Amino acid sequence: MTLTVRRDRERFGWSALAMTMSLLVMATWLAPSQSLPQGAPETVCDTMLPFHSGGSVLPQNSVSPFSVETSASTVGQGQTVRVDVTGVPEGLTFGGFMVQARNRNPPHQIVGQFSPARDGTVKLMNCENSVNNSATHSNAGPKPQVYLEWQSPVDFLGQVVFNATIAQSYSEFWVGVPSNPVQIVRRDLGAVPLPTAVPQPAFGAALPTTRAPYVPPNYVAPSAVAAATADPFYNGCGVSKNCFGFPDGCVNSKTCTSVAAVTVRGDIYEFELQSGRGNNAAYVAVGLSEDAKMGEDLTTECVPENGRVVMYSSLTSATPYAAVRTSVPQSSARLLNASIVDGVIYCKVERDPVTVVQGRTFDLRRKQYHLLVASGSSLKDNSVGYHDIGRLPSGKAINLAEVQDLSGSSKILVQLHGAFMIVAWIGTTSLGIIFARYFKQTWVGSQSCGKDQWFAWHRLLMVTTWSLTIAAYILIWVELKRAVWHAHSIIGLITVILCFLQPIGALFRPGPNDKKRPYFNWGHWLGGNLAHILGIVTIFFSVKLPKAELPEWMDWILVSFVVVHVLVHLIFSIGLCLNHWQITGLASERHLSQRANTFQMGEMSPHHQQHAMRNGMTMERKMDAPYGAMRKGLLGVYGVVLVLFVVVLILLVVLAPIEQFLGKT
């Protein structure tokens, strides 16, 4: 009896165990559909942990068998990139997922928006008070892949990484599966936008990047030690290859924002290009220039496109700035190696020793060239954008086969030209015109060098303008050594001619009572004001010159100066009108008084009335006009503001490119 009961208990135990195992197996297969059949809730936006885990089920710490791939490694602001979540090897399925795009740099905010899927397999989420910036599954059924479309933000520049939580089963899920970094770059207004759907690269195709170490919420930034590790690009610089980059002197410290290297072995000419880490470069390029000036240069461009780096040859033009690819035989250079890792663009290119472009021969064996390195954060249609990250030509032209140390070309003449013109046309001319127009009846009786104060200051300021303008024009001719025609140079030449003629005309000034004096006064006034206006317009046009490397926002400083200058003229003009009315009134009162006291017995003739009026006006001219204190005070304030404008503008010219200077500090 006891034995029978024991056997029944054993049979019951084995049955219970078998039933329990069966339930566990069923739970394993059914769990994905039972856990979160309608996708992840928005309460897990920060952690991306499956809600069912509750902390009791930990994510896998092994390498994920699933991957997150993007259709492009570089995309313009406001444009679309395709994001694919797939299994490796092909055919591996998963049930649930959640995908976000986050800024690769702190504060790692979620950016961009996902588009709804046409087949309804994707549910969009609103995280961090933004709409549709995360995506999850709409059903937990097994799926071999998911295709998403994501639109980049229009107000963000930098790298983003797509992170995914992928659940293969209830207890097997991976958190923070990263994509390759995607660079968001600025697109020029003239660029043609990318199509909304980009073709998917062949499954298994190797991308030239490494996985980003991005696992939210505990983001692991690239190690500072790794960033400081010696870059192999610089191996052999100055020994077996010529290296040159910017900022000037960066090759020795191995910290170039962009750098190029040239290795020559017989008739083999190899060019290496590399952008710096963290500068959001959309391209890096090197030009072969005969004069260290932008224009007519054979250029090699390396541009990330659709997950790989592509090489183009182009010919540059300075006016307007462009790098034209259609004019250069693309077969004249071959891409040997390329990669984009953590946003750093690298390529190695072999160029033909001789390339003929539009009848112009670039002979690398017999001619000497300046190396002109440039990089920028934007792209145009079939061209690179402006080199806003930086640009620097080498200081001398070299035979590429002769290894030597290279330094950047001096910009001192260009900087002096700009500084002199700013002092002349923003500073001394503006102040000189104020003295001549509004201060003839101020400091009456006080003289300097035998001349009235207003005239002495006007002459000093205008002679300074003349001297600085002529000196600046000579300096830019010494720098360019040739005529370059564009809006800045043409209007600038007209300004210089007017400026040169003004003092010559003053030498032939008629006497005060000469009948021709009014014509001279009008001509002198017109010539001076026209030169002043054209001088300021010329400075506006200089902001767009590639060689000047001035920031676009300098235009707003110039606009602010114009507004202040016009307001000061308006205030002084109102004061001048008040002075005229007050002086006229005083003269009339004096005339009436004289008439009452002197000619009580008879009427004064019209001739005597005019004579008396002139006597009254002459007496008023012997003293300061009314509101003299106000004029002097306003002149002092205007002078201080003018000095501030001049100092700020000169700093922008001398320290150009100012963004690069501020980056150093």
Side-chain angles (χ1 to χ4, degrees), residues 39-196:
E42 293 177 359
T43 55
V44 301
C45 284
D46 293 333
T47 64
M48 296 186 72
L49 287 171
F51 188 70
H52 68 259
S53 68
S56 60
V57 182
L58 299 178
Q60 301 294 307
N61 57 12
S62 59
V63 176
S64 171
F66 305 97
S67 66
V68 181
E69 305 290 351
T70 60
S71 60
S73 60
T74 303
V75 64
Q77 291 175 314
Q79 296 180 331
T80 302
V81 66
R82 179 166 160 173
V83 182
D84 298 342
V85 180
T86 59
V88 181
E90 186 176 2
L92 187 65
T93 62
F94 58 93
F97 69 90
M98 178 180 175
V99 182
Q100 295 176 343
R102 286 184 177 264
N103 183 357
R104 194 166 186 269
N105 297 314
H108 314 307
Q109 74 275 18
I110 306 173
V111 297
Q113 288 185 336
F114 287 94
S115 301
R118 295 179 181 178
D119 58 4
T121 58
V122 176
K123 173 187 174 183
L124 301 182
M125 303 170 61
N126 303 329
C127 294
E128 297 182 354
N129 298 319
S130 295
V131 178
N132 299 343
N133 60 1
S134 301
T136 186
H137 57 279
S138 60
N139 67 79
K143 50 186 74 70
Q145 71 277 321
V146 170
Y147 300 139
L148 305 168
E149 291 203 356
W150 175 84
Q151 184 179 24
S152 63
V154 297
D155 57 352
F156 176 83
L157 287 174
Q159 288 187 326
V160 299
V161 175
F162 291 91
N163 278 263
T165 292
I166 305 172
Q168 189 177 17
S169 66
Y170 182 88
S171 59
E172 287 185 293
F173 56 89
W174 289 260
V175 176
V177 179
S179 71
N180 297 309
V182 175
Q183 190 79 33
I184 310 300
V185 300
R186 182 168 57 248
R187 302 286 301 190
D188 288 356
L189 293 178
V192 177
L194 292 174
T196 56

Side-chain angles (χ1 to χ4, degrees), residues 527-550:
N529 282 279
L530 183 60
H532 189 212
I533 293 171
L534 292 178
I536 294 174
V537 171
T538 304
I539 295 174
F540 268 100
F541 277 110
S542 71
V543 177
K544 306 301 181 183
L545 295 177
K547 191 173 185 62
E549 298 182 306
L550 297 172

Side-chain angles (χ1 to χ4, degrees), residues 384-432:
V384 296
Y386 179 67
H387 45 74
D388 56 339
I389 294 177
R391 162 191 170 275
L392 185 66
S394 59
K396 60 182 179 180
I398 63 168
N399 184 327
L400 299 180
E402 297 179 5
V403 178
Q404 53 196 288
D405 292 330
L406 296 175
S407 59
S409 62
S410 173
K411 299 186 291 185
I412 185 64
L413 295 183
V414 175
Q415 293 169 341
L416 286 175
H417 168 82
F420 285 0
M421 288 301 192
I422 286 172
V423 173
W425 296 103
I426 300 293
T428 56
T429 302
S430 302
L431 205 56

Side-chain angles (χ1 to χ4, degrees), residues 262-270 336 349-353 364:
V262 184
T263 304
V264 181
R265 297 191 300 272
D267 278 348
I268 299 176
Y269 289 79
E270 293 180 349
L336 303 179
V349 178
E350 180 183 345
R351 295 208 69 93
D352 290 343
L364 309 189

Side-chain angles (χ1 to χ4, degrees), residues 452-570:
D452 290 342
Q453 289 289 354
W454 75 266
F455 184 80
W457 281 103
H458 173 74
R459 182 173 60 181
L460 174 64
L461 292 167
M462 290 311 183
V463 168
T464 303
T465 295
W466 190 90
S467 303
L468 289 173
T469 300
I470 300 303
Y473 197 69
I474 293 173
L475 287 174
I476 204 62
W477 266 102
V478 172
E479 169 69 17
L480 296 178
K481 299 182 178 65
R482 60 189 176 97
V484 178
W485 300 113
H486 42 65
H488 175 79
S489 61
I490 294 172
I491 301 175
L493 177 60
I494 297 173
T495 304
V496 171
I497 293 173
L498 290 173
C499 176
F500 185 80
L501 294 176
Q502 278 292 96
I504 297 176
L507 295 176
F508 300 95
R509 180 175 60 245
N513 298 321
D514 194 295
K515 294 181 179 180
K516 297 179 181 179
R517 182 60 179 261
Y519 299 105
F520 167 82
N521 289 341
W522 277 106
H524 191 68
W525 175 88
L526 180 62
N529 282 279
L530 183 60
H532 189 212
I533 293 171
L534 292 178
I536 294 174
V537 171
T538 304
I539 295 174
F540 268 100
F541 277 110
S542 71
V543 177
K544 306 301 181 183
L545 295 177
K547 191 173 185 62
E549 298 182 306
L550 297 172
E552 294 182 359
W553 45 265
M554 179 174 166
D555 281 337
W556 293 107
I557 298 178
L558 293 172
V559 169
S560 300
F561 158 74
V562 172
V563 171
V564 170
H565 187 69
V566 170
L567 285 176
V568 169
H569 270 280
L570 182 62

Side-chain angles (χ1 to χ4, degrees), residues 269 271 288 290 297-300 313-315 327-334 350-365 367 369:
Y269 289 79
F271 292 78
L288 298 176
E290 294 182 353
D297 309 319
L298 179 62
T299 304
T300 303
S313 295
S314 60
L315 187 70
S327 59
V328 182
Q330 297 300 313
S331 60
S332 61
R334 293 154 297 281
E350 180 183 345
R351 295 208 69 93
D352 290 343
V354 179
T355 303
V356 179
V357 182
Q358 297 180 339
R360 185 186 185 95
T361 301
F362 291 88
D363 191 337
L364 309 189
R365 293 173 295 196
K367 292 184 179 180
Y369 294 97

